[in-house]
């Protein structure tokens, strides 16, 4: 009798990711994952207490492997998120377009801490101002991402870049209370490393 194949948590999560990528979030079930791994449901229930636990860990796995980025600029991080929504529509829907508990955070950003710190330093903002500015940028990016993930609209890379730059100029003007084009250009120069 051949030895039984050992199925690890990582194997289950990878199988779940590929299942969602190919068939969408509704296909996510213990049975479908087991079928993909060519095993019974027992190893999956041994690794995860229930489907809710598996879904929570899968969401964390997707964030870590697809959304966390070490980008040097604010714009790169936004582009990475938006390209994720365009390339990985089904994974985006799994993570972001789902029913949430009332006490759950509405929008998770695995890159928030590093972004807020960059805004504080480059734009001479308080932590609170930088966090608010970032939250407004998040709302804008999230809206674009939802439109792309649901095929409502498909922005090109160039269009995404242009939209991000234009909105950044608007929100920068608001948070720095810019009164002239000259003053805006000064703050754009201060934040040029954020926009590369």
């Amino acid at each position: 009798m051949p030895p039984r194949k050992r199925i690890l948590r990582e194997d289950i999560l990878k199988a779940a990711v590929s299942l969602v990528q190919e068939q969408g979030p509704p296909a996510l079930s213990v049975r479908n994952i087991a079928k993909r791994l060519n095993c019974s449901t027992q190893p999956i229930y041994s690794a995860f207490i229930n489907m809710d636990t598996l879904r929570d860990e899968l969401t964390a796995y997707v964030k870590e492997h697809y959304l966390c980025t070490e980008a040097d600029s604010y714009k790169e991080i936004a582009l990475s998120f938006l390209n994720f929504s365009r390339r990985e529509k089904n994974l985006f829907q799994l993570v972001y377009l789902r029913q949430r508990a009332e006490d759950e955070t509405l929008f998770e950003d695995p890159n928030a801490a590093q972004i807020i710190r960059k805004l504080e330093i480059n734009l001479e903002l308080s932590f609170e101002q930088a966090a608010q500015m970032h939250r407004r940028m998040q709302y804008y990016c999230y809206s674009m991402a939802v439109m792309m993930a649901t095929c409502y609209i498909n922005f090109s890379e160039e269009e995404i870049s242009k939209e991000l730059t234009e909105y950044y100029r608007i929100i920068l003007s608001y948070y720095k209370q810019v009164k002239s084009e000259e003053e805006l250009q000064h703050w754009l120069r201060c934040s040029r490393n954020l926009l590369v």
Side-chain angles (χ1 to χ4, degrees):
M1 184 172 190
R4 283 178 29 180
K5 179 180 166 186
R6 182 146 188 245
I7 299 183
L8 306 172
R9 288 175 85 84
E10 180 85 8
D11 299 327
I12 296 166
L13 291 170
K14 284 180 178 178
V17 164
S18 69
L19 181 67
V20 171
Q21 284 174 315
E22 293 168 20
Q23 298 177 29
L28 187 62
S29 72
V30 172
R31 259 193 205 126
N32 285 343
I33 295 168
K35 187 176 178 183
R36 185 158 290 243
L37 290 169
N38 197 23
C39 69
S40 72
T41 59
Q42 189 277 327
I44 299 166
Y45 282 118
S46 292
F48 300 95
I49 298 168
N50 56 35
M51 192 61 200
D52 289 337
T53 305
L54 191 152
R55 189 180 305 274
D56 289 346
E57 288 198 36
L58 179 60
T59 299
Y61 181 88
V62 170
K63 287 179 193 173
E64 180 184 342
H65 291 86
Y66 291 84
L67 288 164
C68 286
T69 182
E70 290 296 322
D72 292 328
S73 81
Y74 194 28
K75 191 173 189 178
E76 277 183 66
I77 292 169
L79 285 169
S80 174
F81 174 73
L82 291 166
N83 282 322
F84 168 74
S85 75
R86 186 169 55 180
R87 281 191 314 271
E88 297 289 352
K89 289 174 175 37
N90 289 334
L91 291 180
F92 181 88
Q93 290 177 24
L94 173 81
V95 175
Y96 294 107
L97 300 180
R98 59 188 164 81
Q99 188 66 40
R100 297 166 189 269
E102 286 184 28
D103 61 339
E104 188 178 356
T105 303
L106 295 179
F107 184 81
E108 310 88 2
D109 180 0
N111 303 298
Q114 72 167 318
I115 292 169
I116 292 168
R117 185 73 187 127
K118 286 180 184 206
L119 290 172
E120 279 182 279
I121 292 167
N122 287 272
L123 300 177
E124 300 171 18
L125 295 171
S126 68
F127 172 81
E128 292 77 19
Q129 289 173 312
Q132 286 176 5
M133 182 176 173
H134 177 56
R135 191 167 36 256
R136 294 246 171 104
M137 286 296 297
Q138 277 183 306
Y139 295 157
Y140 186 73
C141 286
Y142 184 77
S143 299
M144 287 176 63
V146 168
M147 287 190 285
M148 288 190 291
T150 58
C151 299
Y152 179 78
I153 195 166
N154 189 21
F155 293 104
S156 68
E157 189 87 23
E158 185 179 302
E159 288 170 322
I160 292 171
S161 180
K162 184 179 176 187
E163 287 291 325
L164 289 173
T165 300
E166 286 179 16
Y167 191 70
Y168 181 80
R169 288 172 60 98
I170 292 166
I171 205 155
L172 174 64
S173 296
Y174 175 80
Y175 279 94
K176 292 308 292 180
Q177 299 181 350
V178 170
K179 294 178 178 46
S180 69
E181 182 63 26
E182 184 180 328
E183 194 177 350
L184 176 60
Q185 290 306 315
H186 165 76
W187 289 113
L188 287 170
R189 282 190 300 276
C190 289
S191 58
R192 67 184 169 275
N193 64 325
L194 298 174
L195 301 173
V196 175

